[in-house]
Amino acid sequence: MTGKDAPIVVLTGAGISKESGLATFRDADGIWATVRIKDVATPDAYRRDPKRVYEFYNARRQGLVGGNIRPNAAHGALARLEREWPGGVLTVTQNIDDLHERAGAKNLIHMHGELLKIRCDVCGNVVAWRDDLGIEDACAACNTAGRMRPHVVWFGEMPFEMERIERAISAAGVFMSIGTSGNVYPAAGFVMLARQAGARTVELNLEPSEGATLFEEKIYGPASQVVPVYVERLLHGAGD
Ligand code: BJW
């Protein structure tokens, strides 16, 4: 299949957490079917109506912390791959949930931020946060009130750790994309970078994504089923 000394980069999206009970964005029953991006996921929405944005993320935070949300077999299989693959594995997730780390992932980048953190818009201080967030909450570092925001990346903002991600993809032997529709850049462009680097490119998704034709190998089905099988094949399959 591929040399086991070659590093693997895995990109994940909302589809990997669907079977854990978290909604995706663009499926028929997804988040964007009930709220508009421009009302909750842009810096302008936050400036215009911070309360609306707080409510949107408070509800999702409550769902993640208080709901019966657990990592599924796909998160578990990727954590196993990270532990056992000799060449090293970096998981880059677009998801703001904490299911990869709860499954045991250590080498992980949350390129679109984390739901269980908030950030001061004034001084940049980031803190862990599991409660509701409101306009009255003040920054523990600079004391400014009313300027704490979800530590997430909205449209028009730069995703986190782009240099590190691009360096890792440029050195990868395998690039796997799991549970993402390929609608949102720069993540949707990573497959092109991986191809330029000569990596083997694999899409594992419920259905063909926007960029499906760019992948050499495509495996369609629920992540909790197809990811563990693919990981087993990488670790112990016959070379092909
Ligand atoms: C399953 C499954 C199961 C279901 N098993 N699979 C014109 C052209 C190109 C780019 C732009 C453009 N105009 C504007 C842009 C840039 C813009 C962009 O991409 N816009 C597009 C809409 C066109 N991007 C940005 O603004 C980004 N920043 C940026 O570009 O900065 C400048 C820059 C320049 C140069 C280099 C680098 C940067 C920021 C994007 C921020 C995205 N933010 C969000 C919300 C915040 C976090 C949150 O609230 O959660 O991030 S939007 C939302 O979409 C969220 C997700 O992370 C992201 C991706 O969604 P994802 O994960 O793919 O979910 P879905 O629902 O789309 O797909 C799920 C898939 O799973 C489906 O395919 C299902 O079939 C599948 N599935 N069940 C397996 N059981």
Side-chain angles (χ1 to χ4, degrees):
M1 172 171 267
T2 198
K4 289 189 175 160
D5 291 338
I8 296 178
V9 175
V10 183
L11 172 70
T12 66
I16 196 170
S17 296
K18 176 78 193 254
E19 291 160 85
S20 292
L22 296 176
T24 61
F25 292 92
R26 295 169 185 81
D27 290 318
D29 59 351
I31 292 172
W32 299 150
T34 58
V35 284
R36 294 185 304 183
I37 289 175
K38 65 177 189 169
D39 290 338
V40 294
T42 67
D44 196 44
Y46 177 61
R47 270 190 297 272
R48 226 176 30 241
D49 191 353
K51 191 163 172 283
R52 173 83 187 82
V53 175
Y54 288 141
E55 283 167 0
F56 174 66
Y57 285 98
N58 286 345
R60 288 174 65 195
R61 198 179 300 106
Q62 281 173 15
L64 182 60
V65 172
N68 194 22
I69 305 295
R70 305 259 178 284
N72 65 54
H75 299 100
L78 292 180
R80 175 187 173 212
L81 185 66
E82 184 187 319
R83 283 193 305 274
E84 297 182 16
W85 184 256
V89 176
L90 171 68
T91 300
V92 178
T93 188
Q94 298 170 85
N95 300 342
I96 63 174
D97 65 55
D98 62 346
L99 298 182
H100 282 299
E101 43 274 65
R102 280 206 248 160
K106 303 274 184 255
N107 199 19
L108 175 69
I109 294 176
H110 278 278
M111 67 176 289
H112 289 165
E114 294 174 68
L115 187 54
L116 301 183
K117 289 184 180 167
I118 58 170
R119 180 171 86 240
C120 176
D121 228 357
V122 177
C123 73
N125 186 44
V126 176
V127 287
W129 195 264
R130 298 177 78 83
D131 303 321
D132 282 354
L133 178 62
I135 200 85
E136 66 285 356
D137 288 302
C139 175
C142 74
N143 252 334
T144 312
R147 299 290 298 278
M148 297 304 291
R149 56 163 281 180
H151 185 51
V152 301
V153 178
W154 290 318
F155 283 101
E157 296 185 316
M158 183 65 87
F160 297 123
E161 301 206 54
M162 282 304 299
E163 277 184 28
R164 192 175 147 213
I165 295 169
E166 287 172 1
R167 248 195 335 269
I169 295 174
S170 300
V174 181
F175 174 75
M176 294 162 65
S177 174
I178 303 174
T180 177
S181 63
N183 273 279
V184 176
Y185 288 83
F190 290 168
V191 59
M192 280 309 294
L193 190 59
R195 284 167 63 110
Q196 282 155 16
R200 181 180 185 86
T201 53
V202 191
E203 165 163 286
L204 298 104
N205 206 40
L206 200 55
E207 59 191 12
S209 71
E210 286 287 308
T213 54
L214 297 170
F215 291 86
E216 267 172 71
E217 198 177 346
K218 308 152 219 274
I219 298 168
Y220 297 116
S224 70
Q225 293 175 25
V226 296
V227 176
V229 172
Y230 193 78
V231 164
E232 175 63 27
R233 205 175 117 203
L234 274 173
L235 289 170
H236 298 299
D240 61 335

